[in-house]
Amino acid sequence: MKIDTLSATNSYKENIHLLEFVHEIEFYDHHLHKKELKYPSLMKHLQRQANLLTIQALNNLTSIHLAEERMIQLVRNTYVPFHIQERELAGHRDALSYIHDHHIDYSVYDFRIVYIIHKEINQHLTTDQLNEKTSLFPENPLLPHSITSTSQCLSTADLQKLFFEFQSSIEVQKMHPLIAIPLLLHKFFKQIRGHYDALRLMRLLNIYLLHQFDYRIQCYFSLDRQFNESYDSFHDSFLQRFKDQDADAILPLHQWTQFYLETVLTAYKEIGGFINAYKNRSISE
């Protein structure tokens, strides 16, 4: 039975529990927009810190372990990457920077952003290193094709379909973007799970989509670190379930959607508390 039928979509659109999360997130995001204007120097500091923590969290998904000093040098682009771990970290840095700087250059539903993110992730790898990976997007014109094939690949038509359904859920079925985004991420990841780049692509696509709908938490707080930490306490770990190759073992869509919204809301509350503490300290001084 397909999970993305109109009836299923309506059940998420009308789910009171999920909408409560959405309304809270909207409330905190509204205040975060105001604080951007009021505390520009603080927000710039938070942005630098969030970028570092996000890249660190993305690297943890691939078991990349570098000395903190070297990682900071790579994130700040003051050190040329040498071995494969450093090359992959530099790719994470460039992909994140590209999303933050260029999301406005694309329409909300442009599937080609997936190809661009994938290219940015892998652009520092040598040809031999790239060929060691299986081909995730065989029709991606931005990367040389790997000589190794895989069943976890998506064609251009597959990506177009995913983004068309995403657009339809928002513009036709009037689903709130904060509910439509995790539904898209779930379907996207379900099709490429097991590939080396899968989780990183899903996380970076999430940051891009939040930008497109003018949410700001991803600019000043590492959602990826929050997701990683939440996995440890989530009773039915999304990460562990997706490592299982049994399709039936994938975390149910409704659980993932609630987990996603809870994690985003927690991030908004934490950054709000930090900014308030900064404000109160400034007043006392």
Side-chain angles (χ1 to χ4, degrees), residues 186 189-190 193 234-256:
H186 188 278
F189 188 69
K190 184 177 180 180
R193 65 192 177 91
F234 193 51
H235 103 141
D236 201 358
S237 170
F238 177 70
L239 181 59
Q240 293 301 322
R241 295 290 292 275
F242 266 133
K243 282 183 177 177
D244 195 322
Q245 293 303 301
D246 180 1
D248 295 331
I250 290 180
L251 189 69
L253 185 56
H254 69 278
Q255 284 184 266
W256 157 242

Side-chain angles (χ1 to χ4, degrees), residues 17-36 170 174-181 209-210 212-218 260-262 264-269 271:
H17 186 55
L18 296 182
L19 289 176
E20 288 176 351
F21 284 118
V22 168
H23 293 154
E24 274 201 85
I25 291 171
E26 292 282 5
F27 171 82
Y28 282 101
D29 187 70
H30 174 71
H31 285 278
L32 186 57
H33 274 78
K34 290 182 176 180
K35 288 167 183 174
E36 283 183 306
I170 293 173
K174 305 304 180 184
M175 180 179 286
H176 195 284
L178 284 173
I179 297 179
I181 288 173
L209 292 172
L210 288 172
Q212 290 290 30
F213 289 97
D214 201 28
Y215 293 99
R216 305 299 292 162
I217 186 63
Q218 72 281 356
Y260 175 91
L261 293 173
E262 287 177 341
V264 172
L265 178 58
T266 298
Y268 268 106
K269 288 181 176 179
I271 198 68

